[in-house]
């Protein structure tokens, strides 16, 4: 038997075995009335307090039906806060409402710079609460070795 005919024979055998399967059973798919499906809508009083990861959640929905409490009545009271950072933030920051930092509660924005420094910023005052600098930072700062990394807050809000 030639080297070419063996693969052809193997394919023919696979086709015959596949064709020997039985016909699919005629079974109706289970259904449920719409009223039996639990609602996922949050109560009107629920608020979006934390944005713990890139995209808001593991599904990266980037949106929520929860209230941010920014309305047409109070949007004029928002103010711009400019913060000097130790680098360029080029990925998504995260936000934690009332996080415990150094024994005090703060609304915190946490971001990572392009060379790996992670910075926690008080969202109300713009003050830097802490900065984490990775051990290798001096060797790659200013080089082409960059990171595009977003922090991630654990579900218990205790670790980053």
């Amino acid at each position: 038997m030639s080297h070419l005919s063996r693969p052809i024979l193997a394919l023919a055998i696979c086709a015959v075995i596949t064709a020997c399967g039985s016909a699919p059973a005629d079974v109706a798919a289970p259904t449920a009335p719409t009223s039996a499906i639990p609602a996922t809508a949050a109560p009107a009083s629920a608020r979006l307090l934390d944005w713990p990861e890139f995209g808001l959640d593991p599904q990266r929905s980037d949106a929520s039906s929860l209230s941010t409490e920014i309305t047409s009545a109070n949007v004029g009271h928002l103010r711009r806060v400019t913060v000097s950072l130790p680098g360029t933030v080029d990925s998504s920051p995260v936000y934690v409402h009332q996080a415990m930092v150094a024994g005090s509660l703060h609304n915190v924005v946490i971001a990572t710079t392009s060379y790996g420094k992670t910075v926690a910023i008080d969202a109300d005052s713009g003050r830097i609460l802490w900065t984490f600098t990775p051990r290798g930072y001096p060797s790659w700062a200013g080089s082409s070795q960059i990171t595009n990394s977003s922090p991630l807050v654990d579900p218990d809000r205790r670790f980053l």
Side-chain angles (χ1 to χ4, degrees), residues 51-60 92-95 150-153:
W51 193 281
E53 63 185 279
F54 173 74
L56 179 62
D57 53 31
Q59 297 78 24
R60 291 168 66 179
S92 300
V94 296
Y95 176 80
S150 295
L152 173 68
V153 178

Side-chain angles (χ1 to χ4, degrees), residues 6-73:
R6 287 182 186 161
I8 294 172
L9 179 62
L11 285 173
I13 292 171
C14 287
V16 169
I17 292 172
T18 303
C20 291
S22 61
D26 188 21
V27 178
T31 59
T34 306
S35 60
I37 301 171
T40 57
S45 62
R47 294 174 41 203
L48 179 62
L49 298 176
D50 291 337
W51 193 281
E53 63 185 279
F54 173 74
L56 179 62
D57 53 31
Q59 297 78 24
R60 291 168 66 179
S61 64
D62 291 318
S64 173
S65 61
L66 299 177
S67 170
T68 62
E69 296 194 357
I70 298 173
T71 65
S72 59

